[in-house]
Amino acid sequence: MKCFLAVFVCVVLAEGIVKIPLMKHKSMREALRERGIELPYQDPGLKYQTNDFATSANMYINNYADSSYYGAISVGTPPQSFEVLFDTGSANLWVDSIYCNSQACNTHKKFNPRQSSTYRVMRQSFYLPYGAGSLTGIFGYDTVNVGGIEIPNQEIGLSTNEPGEAFEVAKFDGILGLSYPSISAGGQTPVFDNMISGNLLSANIFSFYLSRGGQQGSVLTLGGTDSSLYQGEINWTPVTSESYWQIGIERFEINGKDTGWCYRGCESVVDTGTSTLTAPREVLGYLLQGMGAQQNQYGMYMIDCNRVSDLPTLSFVISGTALPLPPSAYITQHYQYGYQFCTVGITPTYLPSSNGLPLWIFGDVFLREYYSIYDRTNNRVGFATAA
């Protein structure tokens, strides 16, 4: 296995296992806020709404405004390098392309298929709703290199139009989906599935470590795990729907006491493409009221920074193991124009899970506390305390 340093830096742990550094950048929301623009809140659960993906070429991109962990891949021959969001909440790969001349595309690297000897045309288009605008593109085939793992004839989306200021300030050039193929737009084969079918990994597993406190050091490991990035045992739980990385929740506790909010059971999607912890709207009001949080005009929940140490520990009981989140995990301190303010990294969703149970989303707020492992062979997700 080779790693081309001219394209990106990766670390080969063993044959079939590679580590891809993920860089933390300002999110679209943070960059726009510096321009005096506030993005309105959008329900992250819209990303998982029922849709016939197999016959449609629609992908949903409703909640990437706060995502900030990106890594490098290359496309084509010779390779062209791009920063992408590795997203466990979607299945397709797309990048900016020369076919797009909107301002949003012009601020990013663009893939030029004319300069790739391995590119092949596919006459199928896709459409990604995003707020007031939309991202459109076409599918093609080309060689993709992820951490030194080369995938020939990978289906890839090339953008032809991108909307407004949100994508203009985005620090990523595309998205690489890591969910199950059943939700792939246009029925395209995801990158990780081509790695599996090509026997390119030592195990059909990938894992994420997301750094805390704005620090660098985040890592995506393909083909296995890195024991230096977590502590203690891995707690495994089965996937309940082979679409997104959806798992069951037995109980939700506040300061160790069962709330009864999951007495019939709850579900959660483990999603590296969502920044917040997302809660069912029917329980979030009670939770935020108890914290003393207030919603501002942009949908953010604000809290007095002096009260953070008095806030409760929230715990999810999953396959018999409690996974706690202290206040430091779900409260973020911001500094702008010499003013300090604190926000709650918990947002509502108005949609149930695919099986009708209350839906939570374990985004970056949860995943910074827990090293997460995604096992396609056994269809399970593992969590261990992050180092």
Side-chain angles (χ1 to χ4, degrees), residues 38 42 84 165 227 300 337 366 385:
E38 284 286 350
Q42 293 183 347
V84 298
E165 289 183 284
S227 59
M300 298 175 66
Y337 308 124
F366 183 91
T385 301

Side-chain angles (χ1 to χ4, degrees), residues 86-107:
F86 291 95
D87 179 21
T88 58
S90 67
N92 294 82
L93 167 63
W94 68 268
V95 295
D96 295 311
S97 81
I98 60 168
Y99 302 128
C100 178
N101 290 309
S102 65
Q103 184 59 33
C105 285
N106 291 337
T107 59

Side-chain angles (χ1 to χ4, degrees), residues 29 40-50 53 59-67 87-90 129-130 244 268-281 284 295 298-299 301 344-353 359-365:
R29 190 182 304 279
Y41 173 76
Q42 293 183 347
D43 184 350
L46 291 173
K47 189 177 179 182
Y48 318 118
Q49 65 183 3
T50 303
F53 287 94
M59 292 183 274
Y60 290 90
I61 183 170
N62 288 294
N63 65 330
Y64 297 110
D66 296 289
S67 300
D87 179 21
T88 58
S90 67
Y130 184 81
Y244 302 95
S268 178
V269 173
V270 187
D271 187 357
T272 58
T274 295
S275 65
T276 60
L277 172 67
T278 299
R281 73 169 172 162
L284 185 61
Q295 189 175 24
Y298 304 110
Y301 292 92
V344 182
I346 308 175
T347 53
T349 182
Y350 300 89
L351 298 175
S353 66
L359 177 67
W360 298 74
I361 302 171
F362 289 172
D364 295 348
V365 164

Side-chain angles (χ1 to χ4, degrees), residues 194-201:
N194 279 328
M195 290 182 182
I196 292 172
S197 62
N199 295 314
L200 301 178
L201 304 166

Side-chain angles (χ1 to χ4, degrees), residues 156-191:
I156 180 172
L158 310 181
S159 69
T160 56
N161 183 67
E162 294 183 17
E165 289 183 284
F167 277 107
E168 184 180 337
V169 300
K171 299 300 182 182
F172 58 85
D173 307 309
I175 294 174
L176 192 155
L178 290 165
S179 65
Y180 283 83
S182 61
I183 65 164
S184 175
Q188 307 303 311
T189 304
V191 170

